[in-house]
Amino acid sequence: MIRKKKLRADILRLNPREDACQIARLIVCDGFLWDFNRALEMALFRTFASPGISGLLARTGEFSRNGQKRYDDTSLLMLQLLRHGYDSPQGRAALQRINQTHAHFFISNDDYLFVLSTFMLDPIDWIARFGWRRLSEHEKMALFIFWRNVGERMGIKSIPDSLESMRRFSGEYVQENFRFHDSNRVVSTATFTVVESWLPRRLRPFVRPVSAVLLDESTRRAVQLEAPGRFMAFIVPAVLKMRGRWLAVFGRSGEPDWPDGCRTYPKGYMVETLAPASLLAVERKQRELPSESIWDPECNKV
């Protein structure tokens, strides 16, 4: 384990523009992996409030038929980037997989930009509310540059040049695009079903009320999620903040136990196959999958 003060000193010595990948990884290693995972889950859910995005997801049917796989695929691809950096062999493979998948669909640049904005903003905002410490401006800048560079490698155009500009774009997008549509309900319901499947039966009724506390009002309205009651609105943030205070005293920093997607891939996975099965079938007809692939030994866990 790395002592927290030393790790943060290492972060401050790095340049947020030139060393964005290294800083992003070190932030995760500073006791924030769980926070990043929860923030990116909420970020993904917020995109379902836009009919342009949810409509595409509903038409593919993947969240309804293979919700756990789609969750694991998305999580694993994002964590490949955070863990290894976008210019590493693993990161390039993840970006290639993402771009190949998206190439099968028409997605507007604004929809791409909004999804990118959630990856930039939601972890920062989550950590500000519930993290064991707040991120410095130095760290926020590095995360912005990290995701901006990811966006550029995905071919996204007109990416705002600052975190503040991205936040303004996100707010404008929400005002213009968040509204109820049946596809929002279809995709959000499928996602709730996935999350509920992780829990004992007695705890499953709490998934939606807890999510309602953590999601903003615009998202709740657009997916028709009932507003939380007073008790849940009090207890959920209180528990998360208590967790942050406990970690500030007793938590450790260092290499985390990176998720390995073993719900879907108990024997390991190939980055090239982190895509909907229907698209993989199309690609197999066009060319054979390469025999060599990136193998994560962590996925040998049972």
Side-chain angles (χ1 to χ4, degrees):
M1 288 292 181
I2 306 170
R3 294 184 63 185
K4 290 176 180 176
K5 290 183 179 179
K6 180 182 182 302
L7 192 149
R8 292 198 295 281
D10 290 341
I11 291 174
L12 291 174
R13 280 195 290 268
L14 295 169
N15 186 306
R17 295 188 179 276
E18 298 175 1
D19 306 311
C21 288
Q22 191 172 352
I23 293 174
R25 176 186 169 83
L26 289 174
I27 292 171
V28 175
C29 290
D30 198 16
F32 285 122
L33 177 60
W34 188 88
D35 300 272
F36 266 81
N37 275 321
R38 301 294 81 74
L40 292 176
E41 287 169 357
M42 293 297 104
L44 178 66
F45 200 96
R46 289 184 64 224
T47 66
F48 303 159
S50 171
I53 297 173
S54 69
L56 172 61
L57 297 173
R59 286 193 297 275
T60 67
E62 285 296 322
F63 272 86
S64 298
R65 293 193 303 267
N66 303 301
Q68 184 64 64
K69 174 175 165 55
R70 294 307 305 132
Y71 174 89
D72 286 342
D73 288 354
T74 302
S75 176
L76 289 168
L77 288 168
M78 294 303 102
L79 290 175
Q80 285 286 329
L81 296 171
L82 285 166
R83 184 178 186 180
H84 301 290
Y86 39 72
D87 285 335
S88 68
Q90 298 92 333
R92 289 195 297 270
L95 283 167
Q96 182 180 18
R97 179 65 271 171
I98 292 167
N99 291 335
Q100 284 178 338
T101 298
H102 290 165
H104 290 271
F105 308 101
F106 173 77
I107 303 171
S108 75
N109 195 69
D110 275 1
D111 288 345
Y112 270 127
L113 264 179
F114 177 68
V115 175
L116 185 67
S117 78
T118 65
F119 293 157
M120 287 181 180
L121 300 172
D122 286 34
I124 292 173
D125 294 344
W126 176 283
I127 290 171
R129 291 178 68 190
F130 306 126
W132 72 267
R133 67 172 178 87
R134 294 199 172 194
L135 299 179
S136 67
E137 294 303 314
H138 183 85
E139 291 169 314
K140 293 177 186 178
M141 172 63 73
L143 288 175
F144 166 75
I145 292 170
F146 176 89
W147 289 113
R148 185 189 68 185
N149 290 344
V150 169
E152 289 175 349
R153 286 158 174 76
M154 293 174 60
I156 301 175
K157 308 298 182 185
S158 304
I159 301 175
D161 59 3
S162 70
L163 200 59
E164 293 74 20
S165 297
M166 182 60 94
R167 196 175 290 278
R168 284 195 296 272
F169 165 81
S170 176
E172 292 168 359
Y173 181 96
V174 167
Q175 283 189 325
E176 295 172 6
N177 293 277
F178 275 29
R179 64 184 185 279
F180 176 73
H181 190 278
D182 193 55
S183 60
N184 301 4
R185 179 189 57 78
V186 169
V187 179
S188 62
T189 298
T191 304
F192 281 134
T193 300
V194 170
V195 177
E196 288 164 354
S197 72
W198 303 342
L199 302 174
R201 189 175 300 275
R202 291 183 179 180
L203 296 181
R204 292 175 187 176
F206 293 99
V207 169
R208 298 186 190 218
V210 170
S211 299
V213 175
L214 300 175
L215 292 166
D216 58 279
E217 184 179 356
S218 297
T219 302
R220 291 198 304 266
R221 286 202 307 266
V223 301
Q224 290 194 338
L225 180 63
E226 185 177 346
R230 289 184 180 181
F231 176 75
M232 294 299 289
F234 168 77
I235 198 64
V236 173
V239 169
L240 290 170
K241 290 175 182 178
M242 186 180 302
R243 172 187 176 273
R245 295 190 188 101
W246 188 91
L247 289 175
V249 177
F250 300 107
R252 296 289 186 90
S253 297
E255 191 68 23
D257 185 13
W258 295 89
D260 51 27
C262 285
R263 286 189 178 94
T264 302
Y265 307 104
K267 296 182 180 180
Y269 63 92
M270 297 181 293
V271 171
E272 296 93 328
T273 62
L274 299 180
S278 58
L279 297 188
L280 294 175
V282 171
E283 292 173 1
R284 287 191 191 100
K285 292 180 181 179
Q286 297 172 345
R287 64 185 183 279
E288 290 186 357
L289 286 174
S291 58
E292 294 182 1
S293 59
I294 294 175
W295 181 268
D296 192 336
E298 289 297 309
C299 284
N300 290 325
K301 297 177 182 177
V302 176

